[in-house]
Amino acid sequence: MSDTPFVVVEDLYFSRGDTEIFRGVDLSIQRGKITAIMGPSGSGKTTLLKLIGGQLTPDSGRTLIDGEDIHRQPRRSLFAMRRRMGMLFQSGALFSDLSVFENVAFPLRVHTDLPEAMIRDLVLMKLEAVGLRGARELMPAELSGGMARRVALARAMALDPELILYDEPFVGQDPISMGVLVQLIKRLNEALGLTSIVVSHDIKETLTIADYVYVIADGKVMAHGTPKSLDVDQDPRVSQFVHGEPDGPVPFHYPAADFFTDVLDAGGRR
Amino acid sequence: MITRIMSLGRRGCDLLEALGRAGIFVAQSAVGMPSREGLLLWVRQMHFVGVLSLAIVLVSGLFIGMVLALQGYTLLVDFGAEQALGQMVALSLLRELAPVVAALLFAGRAGSALTAEIGLMKATEQLSSMEMIGVDPLRRVVAPRLWAGFVSLPLLTIGFSVVGIYGGYLVGVEWLGVFEGSYWGNMQSSVEFVGDIGNGMIKSLVFAVVVTWIAVFQGYDLIPTSEGISRATTRTVVYSSLAVLGLDFVLTAIMFGGLA
């Protein structure tokens, strides 16, 4: 394993309609590490993951996955590159017409010619790793949110990818399944030597497992460093985010006219 | 004034862009050799798109044939030409009613279901997750549905015609007492295989491509919210119906209007 970063994002610009989402983002994701990308809601974290996965195309800039620019690949090799990645979607995104077992077996069935008996063993191993071997006959609609996310994690790992992208893995989880997911991500990363990118705004959980953190806001990387160095960062914006203060340089209010003028005006009623 | 012209121009550009997207979309998904897996998925979609539309198409065909015979009889009997009933029923069905009505029913029954299904898969990120697993949703989700539509609507149209002609027989011969020999005999001597059956099938094939294309593209291209899905489903039915009726006029003019 070389020391070159696994994922490199260089000077990335992306806009949706007239809204600029990224204005020159640079990231460097080290192999075998958990890198967290954090930032307030609406800062484009999920969009960034989709750009790294090649599902969206940037206006300019490069995204290198193991040295190859994912946005300059023809369709066929793009799909070949994606086989080396797994992505855990916020909603789980399980195929609703397939059972838990078939969902996890899906990548194996479409990308390998393994005999049925071996597929069964592999699926049961992956489900065992996320603690849901007993739930294999259930349909996605019968699962709780946390369970669905764990099944999705088992499916993302089915082909033993080198890179896993986690989109808000902790959102809407009760404390127990939150703890389970935190441990799973950490353990899988260590046991399988994966490179992980975790997009999240759950500061406490993310900082306990991340090796390196990028904070993005206003379309740029606002700060980056190890969790320790961010904790003592003096930048007021970073400090506000990391310590979860409701108001500060990142305003609590959406831009609006002065409150009193607004109330008194009342749509020209006066 | 300038703003109006600008917005008109922008609309034109948007329309062209959408047409271009739809063209690339259908070329990328429908062209190419299917795998064994793809064939199995196609068979499954033939069941959902074709077999499950069979009941509504056949029942409608029966009633339309019966109504045709009833209306035709009251008209023809005035001229003592009720022997031509079979010919009238068969020609109306084969040339016009079967392709058009079957396509309209197909748009309402199967087209809207295709749009909603693909749209919901998009809204719940199932298409995205398929892409990230390294499976092209155009090949896996879209292609089998497109081909199922292309094949099943012409077959449904044949069923519609056959049942409709039988409905005409029930009313005309069994109920109103037209001579059975003239019902079938006149039909046999006047219906041409290429001119009538062939042209009707060409119409049906064109409608199948257009309706399925609209339905699947609307599902794939929609805004992934509940409002987006409901709007796209409505658009599928409206656009398909208008396209079928408009194209029917054009095709009829070419085939039977002496334009060709």
Side-chain angles (χ1 to χ4, degrees):
Chain A
M1 196 184 282
S2 68
D3 285 342
T4 51
F6 192 69
V7 179
V8 178
V9 174
E10 286 174 356
D11 203 22
L12 189 83
Y13 280 78
F14 181 77
S15 49
R16 221 178 232 141
D18 294 332
T19 323
E20 259 192 337
I21 298 182
F22 296 121
R23 293 174 294 164
V25 169
D26 292 283
L27 302 173
S28 162
I29 312 282
Q30 297 301 320
R31 279 170 207 272
K33 300 277 197 254
I34 300 179
T35 305
I37 298 175
M38 308 182 71
S41 296
S43 56
K45 300 183 299 290
T46 303
T47 310
L48 189 57
L49 274 195
K50 290 195 167 174
L51 283 161
I52 293 174
Q55 292 193 297
L56 296 173
T57 313
D59 299 337
S60 70
R62 298 200 303 167
T63 308
L64 305 178
I65 311 284
D66 208 10
E68 287 183 87
D69 191 342
I70 192 161
H71 297 116
R72 291 183 192 281
Q73 305 295 323
R75 212 171 163 80
R76 190 176 289 264
S77 52
L78 173 67
F79 280 102
M81 278 173 88
R82 286 198 185 131
R83 278 175 223 172
R84 298 168 60 193
M85 315 177 187
M87 179 157 173
L88 183 71
F89 285 84
Q90 197 173 337
S91 59
L94 296 174
F95 303 132
S96 43
D97 55 337
L98 300 178
S99 68
V100 165
F101 182 94
E102 285 302 322
N103 260 287
V104 182
F106 181 82
L108 297 166
R109 289 198 202 285
V110 289
H111 289 314
T112 67
D113 288 325
L114 293 174
E116 192 55 39
M118 192 172 278
I119 287 185
R120 183 172 181 277
D121 292 350
L122 282 171
V123 171
L124 293 187
M125 274 164 62
K126 305 289 174 190
L127 283 174
E128 175 73 16
V130 297
L132 290 176
R133 189 166 43 87
R136 61 178 177 268
E137 300 302 334
L138 297 183
M139 293 305 280
E142 298 171 280
L143 302 175
S144 70
M147 285 161 85
R149 224 165 283 182
R150 278 149 70 190
V151 174
L153 183 55
R155 186 180 65 181
M157 295 186 318
L159 288 169
D160 294 325
E162 297 161 61
L163 171 69
I164 293 206
L165 311 170
Y166 296 93
D167 184 9
E168 300 281 10
F170 311 121
V171 163
Q173 299 294 312
D174 64 63
I176 300 175
S177 47
M178 180 100 94
V180 169
L181 277 167
V182 169
Q183 282 312 309
L184 266 177
I185 294 175
K186 183 82 183 157
R187 236 176 47 211
L188 289 171
N189 200 74
E190 282 167 0
L192 304 173
L194 299 168
T195 305
S196 306
I197 302 178
V198 181
V199 152
S200 178
H201 52 223
D202 291 288
I203 300 156
K204 198 174 118 252
E205 290 71 24
T206 313
L207 292 188
T208 55
I209 55 168
D211 296 303
Y212 203 80
V213 181
Y214 283 89
V215 180
I216 53 172
D218 300 331
K220 288 185 170 172
V221 174
M222 191 164 74
H224 59 103
T226 59
K228 258 190 190 149
S229 71
L230 283 184
D231 203 32
V232 293
D233 200 303
Q234 295 302 316
D235 185 324
R237 290 180 308 167
V238 178
S239 165
Q240 187 199 348
F241 182 74
V242 173
H243 299 114
E245 291 148 6
D247 209 352
V250 179
F252 167 70
H253 292 285
Y254 193 82
D258 177 63
F259 183 56
F260 289 106
T261 336
D262 217 1
V263 170
L264 290 174
D265 184 25
R269 258 195 297 145
R270 49 183 175 160
Chain B
M1 184 67 190
I2 292 288
T3 351
R4 275 193 194 166
I5 295 175
M6 266 168 64
S7 88
L8 192 70
R10 199 172 300 128
R11 276 187 186 195
C13 289
D14 287 350
L15 182 71
L16 278 181
E17 198 197 321
L19 278 175
R21 268 206 319 275
I24 294 171
F25 166 82
V26 80
Q28 275 182 343
S29 36
V31 181
M33 280 299 288
S35 57
R36 203 181 69 90
E37 178 82 39
L39 280 177
L40 286 176
L41 289 169
W42 173 74
V43 170
R44 214 169 137 206
Q45 286 308 317
M46 281 295 286
H47 174 74
F48 284 117
V49 171
V51 178
L52 295 184
S53 308
L54 206 57
I56 182 173
V57 168
L58 294 187
V59 171
S60 311
L62 187 73
F63 281 118
I64 288 200
M66 285 160 65
V67 169
L68 263 182
L70 206 54
Q71 291 279 10
Y73 181 84
T74 52
L75 202 70
L76 291 172
V77 82
D78 288 345
F79 304 97
E82 68 270 20
Q83 283 79 15
L85 188 67
Q87 172 185 356
M88 196 213 82
V89 169
L91 288 181
S92 331
L93 278 171
L94 290 170
R95 287 179 176 186
E96 285 298 335
L97 287 171
V100 171
V101 177
L104 293 177
L105 291 170
F106 185 78
R109 160 66 186 73
S112 57
L114 283 175
T115 306
E117 190 191 12
I118 295 179
L120 210 57
M121 288 175 93
K122 183 174 181 182
T124 53
E125 294 183 310
Q126 293 185 45
L127 295 181
S128 280
S129 74
M130 203 172 270
E131 276 186 4
M132 288 307 296
I133 289 172
V135 173
D136 188 349
L138 289 183
R139 309 286 308 161
R140 173 132 195 137
V141 174
V142 171
R145 285 169 174 77
L146 274 178
W147 280 104
F150 295 171
V151 176
S152 57
L153 180 52
L155 294 177
L156 288 170
T157 304
I158 295 175
F160 189 102
S161 298
V162 171
V163 173
I165 289 170
Y166 181 69
Y169 165 83
L170 283 183
V171 169
V173 177
E174 299 284 337
W175 179 25
L176 300 172
V178 175
F179 177 54
E180 189 174 355
S182 56
Y183 184 85
W184 296 117
N186 267 330
M187 193 187 298
Q188 219 172 5
S189 59
S190 62
V191 172
E192 287 176 30
F193 187 74
V194 178
D196 300 318
I197 299 180
N199 277 337
M201 288 317 290
I202 291 174
K203 275 187 179 181
S204 167
L205 198 65
V206 172
F207 297 159
V209 171
V210 171
V211 171
T212 321
W213 183 11
I214 290 176
V216 174
F217 180 69
Q218 288 295 341
Y220 199 78
D221 202 49
L222 55 70
I223 299 160
T225 57
S226 29
E227 195 194 359
I229 294 176
S230 84
R231 280 178 179 225
T233 315
T234 310
R235 270 203 304 270
T236 291
V237 178
V238 173
Y239 289 178
S240 306
S241 308
L242 290 177
V244 164
L245 295 170
L247 276 171
D248 182 53
F249 174 74
V250 175
L251 289 172
T252 306
I254 294 171
M255 289 168 174
F256 306 104
L259 279 186

